[in-house]
Amino acid sequence: MEPALDVIGRALTGDEGARAFLERTSSIYVLDVTDHANPKTYGCWNFIHQALNEIERYESNLIKTGATTTPPSALVHHVRLLASMALRVARRPPQGDRAIVATCISNASDYHCSPSQSQWLFDLNLELREIVMGRIAAMAFDFSFHRGGIAAATAASPANASGSSDHQHSAFADPVVMDTFNAILAANAVSTGPAAVRHFATEWIIPSSRSIPVSALLSIAHHLALEGKRPSSPAGTMDMLQQLSITITSMVLVPAMADAATDNSNEDELPSGDSQAGGGTHAGNSRILTKSLAALDIWCSATTLTLPQLKHISSKINLDIVDILNDVMYSDSPEVVDALADFVERVMESPFEQEISQERMNQVRHIINVNETAFKASFSPDQLKVIEQKEMAAILEQLVSAVGLQRIRFQERQNQGDVEVCRNLARIGKVVAAAWLEIYKNDRQVEPERGILEFLLKTAYHPSVNICGMTLSVIPSFCSPTNSLAKELIPLLQRKAIIPHVIKNDTGELSLLAADQYGTGVDEFLRFRDDVVADALATCWEFESEAYIDSCTSAIEEFCSVGANGDASTNLSFHLEAALFCVETLGGLLASSASSESSAISGKSPFAYANQFARCMAAVSQKTTSITTNPLTVTRLSLLLQRWTFWFHQAQQIGVATDLAAASLTCSLQLAEQPYAQALINDTNASPIQQSSLAFEELISVDTAHFSSTGTLGNLLKLWESVYVQRVSGKHRLISSKSIEPLGRGICTAILRVEVESVRNEAFDSLFAPPLRTVDELLILIRAATDQKRGNDLLELMGGEIELLAVLIGVCSTGKRRRESDAMDEGAPLTSNRTEIPFHLLSIVRRCWSSVEVLAKEFSSDSNIASSIGSLLKALIPVRLQQNEDMVRLRNLTAVVLSMLSATPSGPVNHEVFGQACEFLKTWIHLHGEEMELRSTSTASSEGCPDSDALFKTVLVQVIGKAEPCLGSSLTDLQVQGQGQPAFESRPAPLMEAEHSSFNCLGHLLDLIQDMQTICPSFWLSNDIQSSSASSSEPLIRRVASSSVIAISASDRTLAQSSIQFLITLCSQASSTADPDASKEAARTAVMENISRIRRGATSRLLMGCCGKFERTLVGPASVLLHTMSKKVASPAEHESDILAALQQGFFLLGDDAKNLTLSVFRRCTEGLLSEADLEMFLDRIWEIHRTDDFSTLPSSDAVARLLAKFGSS
């Protein structure tokens, strides 16, 4: 092969040198001065031009020689790669090419071009670019490259048959290549500027619209809009596209769609005799419809064009876009209906936007063709919204009628197994129905046509979750007292609630379908049921409560009675599970109305149907095989008990519920031994044991007095002991203690209500005896384990037991349940309303303390052990430090923490151990921090024990020592320039990314220090803590603050967020008013000094993150910190200097105008003229613009121009 083709071929095979050559050729030019009188440059356009020549010669030679073993189409991948390269460089504007050529010329050390020679080289390169574009356009607009064969070419133009025959198998005729060529032409026009876009559209495309292939025409329009949407498109591109909207839509997109929809398209690319293409003119029209819809979709997105505006434009050419869409709905092509659904979803959103954007107003102005002044005088955003919504209402009447007519066709397509057409028709129906509801949301007396309701119901009956789920999310909104839709939905939803399953014929065992015939997995189905079906059921209850509860009651009674003698079909348990789900769903809805009489719906109180619910409970109390054979049914019954605890309490049926909960728990433990049951549990992530325990906890919480009675509490403790016996024997060894933790919490709550101390202490002994016994047994097994996997399993079980002890102690010290659903941060110190732990309970804990010490010393490297011991230590911290016993306990706790920290004296610190040590100190701070602060600021005696401060400092020093590698300021110290000028006057060295293994611990340390800084700042800033490091004389606060600045740039989002939040706290304290207390004022001054030192580095890293380096969720916290620093911790001149220094870094790529705007925005923040929310909006837009691959054209891009227009005028 010739040189260019050889390089492309080697690049396709993965040759690194060839790929590097193509990369360099795309981005640099080479100056050839072999002939000093005739210098030349060689770059991307030279290579593309040469490659095109080589491909044409190659194909021509093959045709002349009649070679059949290597057809021209063998080069299709070469041409695709070449086209991709050409598209990349076409997106670079001519000015960018000129700059690269100029750089090439200036870099020549032994040759200097004269100005005239330089200009000649610039012009030559531009001319070559235009030549390549001309060649690409000639092929893209040549019918013969779009046709299917020689016969078609001959039929279309016999005179050119021989020439066209060369193209029948050309690599250039590849559809992907043809589409990329159109993209190249569009990209070239867009990158050249708005004037070039107008010229390309009005001088090239529109005049030739009848003489170039329709598919090429549509592809050009599609790519013009697509390229115009790119963040790097030149300023004014969007406005130009909006100016062209009428021309493009009325002369290209809408007519092409109308012709194809009526099978009148002049589709020359696909003659009727081409059997290979699959169907002649009809198939060609389907492709045209797909392309026209896709082009119209992206054009509307790029120009904010709306459906009412499209209807107005199409009426000028005597077409109705809505009628065309209605016709397209009848297409039997999945691709067409998919494109139609995409388009309808797009255009149905814009009329209902909360605010009318300036871009959308601008599009309307271009459509009605008035100047900006006259337009603003005549229209406001609110007026435009009202007008468009009125027009949209009329359009929706047409669409609603058209969708309703699809109900018969939908059924036909479903019968034929055409899932794609059904899915897309459902998408269209959903979005049209939702738009209709939005239009008439304030006038619910208006009813839609019955046709669309019947269509939605048909789609809801479709067996595919993905199809029925779309319409089921919108159908309930049509329910009203004046129609029977809710009653029609009830049996449908009850059937949809049944989990798809199969029964093995040989064994009769249950199993779930990994995926149904439509590819829906179990997890997806359960999400569909919990979200879509549950919401629809709630609506049905609102309008047809009696029919709802009656049907559920009858179903439950039937399913339970069939299995009363143990002969129930295994299949029946899934039907019962679905019926229980329908009843359970009501629990959450009715609990709130039951708790507030004023909010209860008249006649629909849960007690209005107490008889039906009592019948349901009577049926399930039979404990038939339809319940006991299926762990999912057992789980659902437990969930029902949790949701309906309010009814059991009010109806004085707690005994019935307790019996059901006990039966569920026992049955769950038995099913855990069955392989098929375990498979069902694994497939659905169900947890029958845990849900049964939670049911107990909920029941105890609503009637604690009942469960604290001697007889009932005794039965609970017997159940607890029996559960433990089953759990730790045989196969139940693998059941996590997390599963029975709720039962333990509930029993603990009941014990706390016992008034007789001796009875209460005896009950505590019974509650804690099983886990304490298990801890001792497990420790023996762990030490004896020789197999690593066995040892890890045992450590996991041990961690669960210790965590259970910690949870039970936590309940005893707070009197509250601590559940995953509580509104508290994960791992937050549990100190709210905390009371001292009963003395008898402490004596119980001492029984296992030696085991805890052994585990901390020998096995804390295991994350389960470290985490569970950390929870136990936090729960045991004394609330008061007034007695000697309190200090003894505190010393024991700190000894365990120090033992864990010293378990790995060398090497990196264990992340989990370090985190637990920090959490331990945070809990200490929350309990005793105020006392510590008083003692540090006053010589007078204060409440508490001063010796505890020394213990705290001992642990803190060890924690800081472990974090020593990530503490320092070497990366954030300001670099003074050679002549002594400020750093911002010359470009600083690039900021380094914060990547270090020890940074994993920094987040925990920052959270700890933030709490100390807030609760006991004087204690934290005391000399003995600040000078505690043996490796550095630098104060600790200085090193921590420096590290927090570095961590802003960490790739770990949690660490970056902790760092930002820590700095926000420092800034808030530094900006507080002067304190008359000398110690507190000294602390505030120390913070201010550190903020002043790190302020510039923090500003640079924050702005760098907002320039596309952060995850988007961090832009908000970053804007808060920047806003705080601009107003509270620096003078206006200092802050402007910090911003200017940051903008001199290489990460801000939006150009000088955007830099000046950024300075102006922060200046307004300093002056109090810009809120945090406004700054976040600005920085979020900065972040969004930077998230592109093409940075070179950003300064002159349309995105930056809109940024300047939006924020520059405010």
Side-chain angles (χ1 to χ4, degrees):
M1 285 187 176
E2 296 186 66
L5 280 178
D6 179 63
V7 171
I8 295 174
R10 287 190 287 112
L12 287 171
T13 61
D15 184 276
E16 292 295 334
R19 290 186 175 187
F21 175 82
L22 293 180
E23 178 68 28
R24 291 195 300 270
T25 303
S26 299
S27 54
I28 63 174
Y29 275 74
V30 176
L31 180 63
D32 179 8
V33 291
T34 305
D35 183 357
H36 280 240
N38 188 27
K40 299 176 183 178
T41 57
Y42 190 90
C44 53
W45 298 116
N46 305 80
F47 180 84
I48 295 168
H49 185 55
Q50 179 179 337
L52 291 174
N53 290 336
E54 292 180 9
I55 293 169
E56 289 179 347
R57 283 197 296 270
Y58 180 87
E59 294 186 346
S60 176
N61 290 335
L62 287 178
I63 293 173
K64 288 178 181 179
T65 58
T68 57
T69 56
T70 310
S73 58
L75 293 179
V76 65
H77 295 293
H78 294 69
V79 179
R80 285 184 181 181
L81 180 56
L82 181 66
S84 299
M85 177 182 176
L87 177 59
R88 175 183 175 183
V89 295
R91 286 172 174 158
R92 187 166 62 220
Q95 300 91 326
D97 280 350
R98 181 187 178 95
I100 296 175
V101 174
T103 301
C104 168
I105 295 171
S106 65
N107 286 342
S109 58
D110 299 329
Y111 179 81
H112 300 284
C113 287
S114 66
S116 60
Q117 287 176 319
S118 296
Q119 186 61 47
W120 181 77
L121 290 173
F122 296 150
D123 294 342
L124 185 62
N125 186 69
L126 180 59
E127 180 183 357
L128 187 58
R129 176 175 179 146
E130 293 173 350
I131 290 172
V132 171
M133 289 300 152
R135 297 183 66 180
I136 290 174
M139 287 184 281
F141 300 156
D142 188 340
F143 280 95
S144 64
F145 283 101
H146 294 266
R147 292 182 176 135
I150 298 176
T154 305
S157 180
N160 295 328
S162 61
S164 297
S165 66
D166 295 346
H167 301 155
Q168 60 177 315
H169 296 301
S170 172
F172 292 119
D174 175 62
V176 175
V177 172
M178 283 288 101
D179 188 65
T180 309
F181 277 1
N182 292 319
I184 292 168
L185 297 173
N188 180 68
V190 169
S191 65
T192 304
V197 173
R198 176 182 288 279
H199 177 80
F200 182 63
T202 59
E203 301 298 329
W204 271 43
I205 303 305
I206 302 303
S208 307
S209 58
R210 294 298 178 185
S211 59
I212 62 177
V214 178
S215 60
L217 197 64
L218 295 172
S219 182
I220 285 290
H222 181 276
H223 286 291
L224 270 178
L226 203 60
E227 294 297 323
K229 278 173 59 70
R230 289 174 59 84
S232 56
S233 61
T237 301
M238 182 179 186
D239 184 73
M240 180 54 66
L241 293 177
Q242 290 178 329
Q243 292 180 44
L244 294 170
S245 286
I246 293 180
T247 304
I248 295 295
T249 54
S250 65
M251 299 187 70
V252 178
L253 302 179
V254 175
M257 189 191 306
D259 288 343
T262 55
D263 282 344
N264 292 327
S265 175
N266 182 21
E267 173 55 4
D268 289 310
E269 302 103 303
L270 188 62
S272 58
D274 186 3
S275 59
Q276 291 181 350
T281 302
H282 183 69
N285 283 330
S286 294
R287 286 207 303 277
I288 293 301
L289 279 174
T290 304
K291 288 187 174 183
S292 59
L293 284 165
L296 196 56
D297 183 14
I298 196 66
W299 193 275
C300 290
S301 174
T303 62
T304 69
L305 204 61
T306 63
L307 190 54
Q309 293 167 7
L310 279 173
K311 185 176 176 67
H312 173 78
I313 293 171
S314 63
S315 67
K316 300 298 183 181
I317 54 174
N318 298 319
L319 291 173
D320 188 334
I321 185 66
V322 183
D323 286 342
I324 298 172
L325 296 177
N326 294 343
D327 290 339
V328 175
M329 229 178 282
Y330 285 93
S331 173
D332 56 4
S333 167
E335 293 78 13
V336 171
V337 186
D338 183 51
L340 176 62
D342 288 340
F343 174 72
V344 172
E345 286 176 341
R346 170 89 63 188
V347 296
M348 285 296 166
E349 294 175 357
S350 53
F352 308 109
E353 292 175 355
Q354 294 298 317
E355 295 183 2
I356 304 295
S357 65
Q358 183 58 46
E359 290 81 8
R360 195 164 146 200
M361 294 287 288
N362 200 45
Q363 176 65 88
V364 176
R365 180 174 67 83
H366 288 308
I367 291 175
I368 62 178
N369 195 22
V370 297
N371 62 50
E372 188 172 358
T373 303
F375 178 75
K376 288 183 176 180
S378 304
F379 294 95
S380 69
D382 292 337
Q383 288 174 320
L384 177 61
K385 188 171 184 178
V386 171
I387 293 170
E388 287 206 345
Q389 287 193 351
K390 287 182 178 178
E391 295 175 349
M392 196 66 187
I395 291 172
L396 279 171
E397 291 301 326
Q398 293 177 263
L399 290 174
V400 163
S401 178
V403 170
L405 293 174
Q406 294 292 318
R407 60 188 183 276
I408 298 175
R409 182 165 172 268
F410 181 90
Q411 188 66 57
E412 293 173 351
R413 285 293 174 181
Q414 180 179 340
N415 294 338
Q416 295 172 16
D418 196 340
V419 178
E420 282 305 304
V421 170
C422 289
R423 181 179 66 85
N424 288 307
L425 286 175
R427 289 172 62 196
I428 296 169
K430 173 193 174 182
V431 73
V432 169
W436 190 93
L437 288 166
E438 180 67 23
I439 285 287
Y440 294 105
K441 64 182 178 182
N442 296 324
D443 188 6
R444 297 309 303 271
Q445 300 301 317
V446 180
E447 292 281 348
E449 291 185 11
R450 180 63 190 178
I452 191 171
L453 296 181
E454 292 180 1
F455 171 83
L456 294 174
L457 282 171
K458 284 188 180 296
T459 59
Y461 273 100
H462 196 283
S464 168
V465 165
N466 291 325
I467 294 175
C468 71
M470 286 187 282
T471 50
L472 276 178
S473 64
V474 72
I475 293 176
S477 300
F478 288 98
C479 294
S480 72
T482 60
N483 63 37
S484 61
L485 189 58
K487 187 172 288 188
E488 296 177 62
L489 279 175
I490 290 172
L492 165 64
L493 294 170
Q494 289 172 334
R495 282 197 290 273
K496 291 293 181 184
I498 301 173
I499 300 175
H501 60 280
V502 293
I503 301 175
K504 298 179 180 178
N505 294 328
D506 53 344
T507 63
E509 291 182 353
L510 298 167
S511 66
L512 301 182
L513 292 172
D516 62 16
Q517 57 181 320
Y518 304 102
T520 304
V522 176
D523 291 341
E524 186 176 0
F525 172 83
L526 293 177
R527 286 195 299 269
F528 155 75
R529 188 174 72 163
D530 292 341
D531 298 335
V532 179
V533 175
D535 289 345
L537 285 170
T539 302
C540 291
W541 167 261
E542 180 182 353
F543 293 102
E544 293 289 346
S545 53
E546 186 171 358
Y548 186 132
I549 194 67
D550 283 346
S551 63
C552 290
T553 302
S554 299
I556 291 173
E557 287 180 330
E558 178 185 353
F559 299 146
C560 289
S561 63
V562 172
N565 298 319
D567 58 352
S569 166
T570 311
N571 182 53
L572 201 62
S573 63
F574 279 97
H575 292 263
L576 178 58
E577 194 271 346
L580 292 173
F581 169 82
C582 294
V583 176
E584 179 237 321
T585 300
L586 298 179
L589 299 171
L590 300 177
S592 58
S593 63
S595 62
S596 175
E597 184 178 350
S598 61
S599 64
I601 302 174
S602 178
K604 294 175 184 176
S605 162
F607 308 111
Y609 304 103
N611 181 53
Q612 289 93 324
F613 188 72
R615 286 164 53 194
C616 293
M617 293 302 98
V620 298
S621 295
Q622 299 178 60
K623 307 179 186 65
T624 62
T625 54
S626 55
I627 296 177
T628 58
T629 57
N630 190 338
L632 304 185
T633 310
V634 174
T635 302
R636 188 57 52 189
L637 176 59
S638 299
L639 288 167
L640 185 148
L641 295 175
Q642 296 172 45
R643 288 286 188 96
W644 284 85
T645 48
F646 68 94
W647 183 87
F648 290 111
H649 178 58
Q650 294 291 338
Q652 299 182 353
Q653 295 290 317
I654 287 292
V656 174
T658 304
D659 181 56
L660 286 172
S664 297
L665 183 57
T666 302
C667 185
S668 299
L669 289 167
Q670 293 171 350
L671 286 171
E673 296 182 352
Q674 303 298 324
Y676 82 90
Q678 195 61 45
L680 287 174
I681 292 171
N682 294 336
D683 289 342
T684 59
N685 292 321
S687 49
I689 297 175
Q690 185 173 28
Q691 294 303 333
S692 301
S693 297
L694 285 168
F696 266 112
E697 184 180 25
E698 291 293 337
L699 291 169
I700 294 171
S701 70
V702 298
D703 197 352
T704 310
H706 170 78
F707 288 96
S708 61
S709 62
T710 304
T712 307
L713 182 59
N715 290 334
L716 279 177
L717 290 169
K718 289 179 182 178
L719 178 65
W720 175 254
E721 177 67 29
S722 66
V723 166
Y724 242 95
V725 169
Q726 295 181 69
R727 177 180 162 269
V728 299
S729 62
K731 296 180 182 179
H732 292 296
R733 170 70 72 179
L734 298 178
I735 296 176
S736 168
S737 60
K738 199 75 174 177
S739 299
I740 61 170
E741 179 185 299
L743 176 60
R745 292 195 302 252
I747 297 174
C748 204
T749 303
I751 294 174
L752 291 172
R753 286 290 299 271
V754 176
E755 296 182 358
V756 180
E757 183 177 2
S758 60
V759 177
R760 187 169 61 249
N761 291 343
E762 184 179 348
F764 273 135
D765 288 335
S766 299
L767 176 65
F768 280 86
L772 291 175
R773 182 175 65 242
T774 305
V775 167
D776 293 337
E777 293 173 355
L778 285 173
L779 183 58
I780 295 173
L781 294 174
I782 289 170
R783 285 181 150 176
T786 56
D787 178 71
Q788 183 176 359
K789 184 180 184 305
R790 171 66 173 165
N792 291 337
D793 291 341
L794 291 170
L795 286 172
E796 183 178 356
L797 288 171
M798 176 66 88
E801 294 302 315
I802 297 175
E803 185 70 37
L804 176 61
L805 290 172
V807 169
L808 296 181
I809 292 171
V811 174
C812 293
S813 62
T814 62
K816 294 182 179 181
R817 296 174 295 152
R818 182 172 185 175
R819 293 184 50 181
E820 292 77 13
S821 58
D822 288 346
M824 60 172 58
D825 295 333
E826 182 69 23
L830 186 59
T831 58
S832 177
N833 299 321
R834 185 162 161 174
T835 59
E836 192 54 80
I837 301 171
F839 179 79
H840 183 74
L841 189 56
L842 291 175
S843 65
I844 293 175
V845 174
R846 291 191 192 100
R847 302 174 195 170
C848 71
W849 196 247
S850 59
S851 298
V852 172
E853 290 175 327
V854 170
L855 289 168
K857 184 177 182 180
E858 299 181 14
F859 301 102
S860 60
S861 58
D862 182 85
S863 60
N864 291 298
I865 297 298
S867 175
S868 59
I869 291 179
S871 298
L872 181 62
L873 296 177
K874 287 182 288 184
L876 289 171
I877 295 178
V879 176
R880 295 181 301 273
L881 298 174
Q882 297 176 338
Q883 301 180 12
N884 185 54
E885 291 82 358
D886 299 327
M887 282 303 302
V888 170
R889 192 198 327 169
L890 197 57
R891 290 190 184 95
N892 290 334
L893 297 179
T894 54
V896 172
V897 175
L898 294 173
S899 175
M900 292 169 67
L901 287 171
S902 60
T904 52
S906 61
V909 64
N910 183 287
H911 179 63
E912 186 65 41
V913 169
F914 187 88
Q916 291 301 324
C918 290
E919 289 296 322
F920 174 78
L921 293 178
K922 283 175 64 177
T923 305
W924 192 330
I925 286 292
H926 281 261
L927 286 170
H928 304 292
E930 293 180 359
E931 301 167 15
M932 295 159 64
E933 180 70 1
L934 286 174
R935 287 192 291 269
S936 65
T937 58
S938 174
T939 56
S941 61
S942 59
E943 185 179 355
C945 180
D947 293 343
S948 65
D949 295 354
L951 282 176
F952 183 92
K953 291 177 182 177
T954 300
V955 179
L956 180 62
V957 168
Q958 290 297 317
V959 166
I960 293 171
K962 291 293 182 180
E964 197 72 43
C966 67
L967 298 179
S969 59
S970 59
L971 298 184
T972 56
D973 284 337
L974 294 179
Q975 301 298 318
V976 179
Q977 304 304 300
Q979 301 301 319
Q981 71 270 28
F984 67 83
E985 292 187 7
S986 63
R987 181 169 173 170
L991 292 173
M992 296 177 62
E993 293 292 333
E995 294 296 340
H996 194 286
S997 59
S998 61
F999 270 88
N1000 292 331
C1001 298
L1002 183 58
H1004 295 297
L1005 183 61
L1006 290 176
D1007 290 341
L1008 168 61
I1009 294 176
Q1010 182 179 338
D1011 283 354
M1012 287 195 290
Q1013 193 73 46
T1014 302
I1015 299 173
C1016 51
S1018 299
F1019 174 83
W1020 151 243
L1021 293 171
S1022 59
N1023 288 332
D1024 50 346
I1025 293 180
Q1026 293 303 308
S1027 59
S1028 59
S1029 173
S1031 61
S1032 174
S1033 59
E1034 191 177 21
L1036 185 58
I1037 180 62
R1038 177 172 180 144
R1039 291 185 292 134
V1040 171
S1042 299
S1043 299
S1044 67
V1045 173
I1046 302 172
I1048 291 174
S1049 303
S1051 58
D1052 182 354
R1053 182 189 61 82
T1054 303
L1055 173 57
Q1057 190 162 12
S1058 295
S1059 303
I1060 294 172
Q1061 193 59 48
F1062 172 74
L1063 292 173
I1064 290 174
T1065 301
L1066 288 187
C1067 289
S1068 298
Q1069 290 186 327
S1071 61
S1072 60
T1073 56
D1075 198 303
D1077 186 288
S1079 298
K1080 293 182 178 180
E1081 178 59 19
R1084 191 189 71 84
T1085 303
V1087 172
M1088 175 60 84
E1089 290 174 354
N1090 280 282
I1091 287 293
S1092 299
R1093 186 183 59 83
I1094 65 172
R1095 192 186 63 237
R1096 179 162 294 180
T1099 301
S1100 293
R1101 289 184 180 272
L1102 290 167
L1103 281 179
M1104 179 177 68
C1106 292
C1107 290
K1109 304 297 184 183
F1110 278 152
E1111 289 187 26
R1112 195 165 195 167
T1113 55
L1114 292 175
V1115 174
S1119 64
V1120 172
L1121 179 53
L1122 285 167
H1123 194 275
T1124 302
M1125 289 194 296
S1126 69
K1127 291 191 64 178
K1128 297 181 178 180
V1129 297
S1131 67
E1134 289 174 332
H1135 187 65
E1136 184 163 336
S1137 173
D1138 293 341
I1139 297 296
L1140 185 59
L1143 294 176
Q1144 295 300 321
Q1145 299 284 349
F1147 53 76
F1148 193 89
L1149 307 172
L1150 307 188
D1152 292 338
D1153 289 342
K1155 286 182 180 179
N1156 293 332
L1157 173 64
T1158 304
L1159 282 170
S1160 173
V1161 164
F1162 279 103
R1163 192 177 297 120
R1164 277 178 260 158
C1165 290
T1166 304
E1167 296 168 355
L1169 301 177
L1170 204 70
S1171 66
E1172 284 182 5
D1174 293 331
L1175 179 61
E1176 181 179 354
M1177 188 186 306
F1178 172 75
L1179 293 176
D1180 186 72
R1181 186 63 185 136
I1182 292 283
W1183 182 92
E1184 187 177 359
I1185 296 174
H1186 274 90
R1187 301 291 284 188
T1188 182
D1189 295 330
D1190 188 4
F1191 300 117
S1192 61
T1193 58
L1194 279 180
S1196 59
S1197 67
D1198 207 17
V1200 171
R1202 292 200 296 272
L1203 178 78
L1204 296 172
K1206 181 173 183 178
F1207 292 96
S1209 59
S1210 56

